[in-house]
Amino acid sequence: MIDPIRSVTDAELENYDRDGVVVLRDICPAGWVDEFRTALDQVFNRDTETGREGLVSGASRAGCRVDVADRVRQMLDEHDSSTLAIEPDRLPEGRSIVETDACSWHDGLRDLHVAGPLPEVAAALTRSERVNLYSDQLFLKEPGSSVRTPWHQDKPYWLLQGTKVAVCWVPVDEVTMESGVMGYVAGSHRWGKVFKPNDFVTLKGTMNIPGLNFDGLDDLPAIDDHPDDFDVRRYEAGPGDVIVHHWMTLHGSLGNVSADRLRRAASVRFAGDDVTFFKRPSSPEPFRNTVGLDDGDNLDGAERFPRVWPRQY
């Protein structure tokens, strides 16, 4: 077991409650970060035929992979580039990979989630006596890839119900304004709205997958068109830091327009002690049809959602 270097402070807990996001500086041990970086590279650089199929079938036991830069390049001939998820006046170079649910098949990565410093952090911020690992998503933005992660909210994508869902964003490189900094709309977790899921290829498009249902969900606000109307916070971060946000907080990131800086990070998702399973009609999770739980079931009933807090010594 690897513990955090330090505890979450009262001020950090207050920031998380108020803003729906907090930056925890220098909280992860360097050795754990090094192992985490190695695991991410193993995922990003492997030979694989895994693609987007799981998003459609919901029956994947090996997650899914999307190279968003490649998808954007394919769309450039038929779409106005200003509508696509790229930085203005840029053409995407290299890869911008989003790998979903790698911890379902990469045992080393799963162990780093379960036995690393993040469970204690999630328990503290959600004030939970019990925490389960939900899933993960890994991000590689190569130099010049220029692909933005559009504004979105996590809740409509996930098979959960409850309030105590914390998302740990873990960089293994220095992430700057130039290389793809994260941004958050402070306080948006308290708006009481659930937004339609973005397709992540266009700036404002809604995910288009057969069988998903978005009835009752709100349209995403035009944050970039009216920046003065929103409290947008952008946080540079580096190895050892963790940015934690509430699953209802709107967030996104800039593209990597640097010439030589890799931008590798992971989003590790944890469910606190008021969270249960819910087969959400809007969820495109690649494993949504494989879980074996009913709505309202405790997550302990599925092996894929291990209990991570308290520690299982």
Side-chain angles (χ1 to χ4, degrees), residues 102-115:
C103 63
S104 66
W105 57 267
H106 192 292
D107 292 339
L109 192 59
R110 184 181 178 91
D111 289 344
L112 288 165
H113 298 343
V114 170

Side-chain angles (χ1 to χ4, degrees), residues 190-216:
R190 293 184 277 105
W191 292 352
K193 294 184 176 181
V194 182
F195 296 101
K196 296 174 183 176
N198 184 280
D199 61 15
F200 292 112
V201 184
T202 64
L203 292 174
K204 299 178 182 179
T206 300
M207 185 164 283
N208 183 19
I209 294 177
L212 301 190
N213 187 328
F214 304 147
D215 290 350

Side-chain angles (χ1 to χ4, degrees), residues 256-284:
N256 186 352
V257 298
S258 70
D260 57 4
R261 187 183 294 274
L262 274 177
R263 192 270 216 182
R264 295 164 292 183
S267 165
V268 189
R269 296 85 183 259
F270 294 96
D273 51 20
D274 76 337
V275 179
T276 57
F277 181 79
F278 175 52
K279 193 167 185 184
R280 191 173 299 279
S282 59
S283 173

Side-chain angles (χ1 to χ4, degrees), residues 131-146:
V131 175
N132 292 75
L133 173 66
Y134 173 66
S135 182
D136 65 6
Q137 196 166 57
L138 316 183
F139 307 96
L140 167 67
K141 294 191 177 189
E142 291 185 331
S145 54
S146 304

